[in-house]
Every structure is written in C-alpha cells, then in structure tokens.
Amino acid sequence: MPNTSSILINLIFLFTIKVLGVFFSLFIFQKFTPLVDANLYLDHFYINSGEMRTLLVQIIVFLLSGFNDFFIHLSFALISSLGFIYGIIKFKLKSIFLISLILPSSLVWTSVVGKDAIFFGFCTLLLFIWNSILTNRFNFYDLLFVILSIIICLIFRPHYLIGVLWLYYSLLII
C-alpha cells in the first residue's frame, strides 16, 4: 500500500503547512501588518453587509463562532486547501508541490478568515480538475466540482475567474 501511505503522508504534510500558516499569520505576520478584514469578520462587523461575497464569509464565521478564533482561521485555511487535497488524492501529488504553499501570498492570505482563502481553494480545484480533463481522468463528480468552483469563484473573485477561464480555453487551443 505505498500509494495510500504516500497520500496520507502528503495530506498530513498539507495539514501541517496550513496549521503552521495560521500560527505564522496570527502570531508573527499580524505583528507587522494587521489582519484588519479577518479581525472584522471575527467581530461580526460585516453581518449587515449588502455585498453577497462579504456576507457569505461573515455567515461562515458566524456559523463557526462557537469555536475559538484559531479554529475559525484554520477552517478557512483548510477550505483554501481543497484543490491540493484533490490533487493529492486523485494524482498522488508529490510533497514537493506542497512547498509552493509556504510562499508568502499563499501562506498568509489563505490561512486567515477571508475571501482569498475560499477563492484560492476553489481556483486551485479548478486547475487540478483541468489536469483531469487533460489526462482523460475527468468524471461526473469532476463536472459537479467544476460547476460549483466556477460559481464560487464568480461570487468571490469574478475578475480573477476571467483569467482562469482564459487559461482553460488557451490550453485547449494549444
């Protein structure tokens, strides 16, 4: 069972990176750059927001409000890992690719409460599913994940989704 054990090891490695990312963001990075939006979400500042994407994040935080702040941030960090979880399970992604998650932008902004964590998780899921399409491993569940991911990306970062869809299209041409 070397495949199952390597998948489990990589999932543990991913989880460890995300836990360390939350620690780094909250206890080191925040000392130099306040995480204003994340703190406002935790204080339920946006509960009456008229903007759907902001309100959706606030609702998620509200639903998790029985937990401590660290767990709420970790929940968003795990959402940001959806694409990599998919890649590890479906493609037996090697741990070397997980090292990209320690780059500052993917470590900090995907390890705290916010729209970036949700977008990152579903955008990377779209990219890994694109790999499924290119390698003929695409199935019905992938189609459901694509539809869900596109909807979520449209809600949270519509201007970024344009680039992702262009990437899909341009790779078809190539």
Side-chain angles (χ1 to χ4, degrees), residues 17 29 44 56 58 62 64-65 67-68 77 97 141 156 166:
I17 289 171
F29 187 81
H44 304 294
L56 287 173
Q58 188 64 76
F62 180 75
L64 295 170
S65 63
F67 298 99
N68 66 30
F97 293 108
Y141 295 110
F156 286 100
W166 174 250

Side-chain angles (χ1 to χ4, degrees), residues 18-29:
K18 296 316 285 184
V19 168
L20 292 174
V22 174
F23 271 112
F24 176 79
S25 299
L26 296 180
F27 301 113
I28 297 173
F29 187 81

Side-chain angles (χ1 to χ4, degrees), residues 91-125:
F91 298 108
K92 289 141 183 88
L93 191 68
K94 296 184 184 335
S95 56
I96 190 75
F97 293 108
L98 299 176
I99 292 176
S100 66
L101 293 174
I102 62 173
L103 296 171
S105 60
S106 60
L107 181 69
V108 174
W109 303 119
T110 65
S111 298
V112 295
V113 172
K115 293 175 270 220
D116 292 320
I118 295 171
F119 178 82
F120 187 85
F122 286 94
C123 183
T124 55
L125 183 58

Side-chain angles (χ1 to χ4, degrees), residues 131-149:
N131 191 17
S132 290
I133 294 169
L134 295 176
T135 58
N136 295 320
R137 296 181 185 177
F138 191 72
N139 60 39
F140 176 74
Y141 295 110
D142 291 334
L143 178 62
L144 295 176
F145 289 148
V146 165
I147 293 168
L148 176 67
S149 295

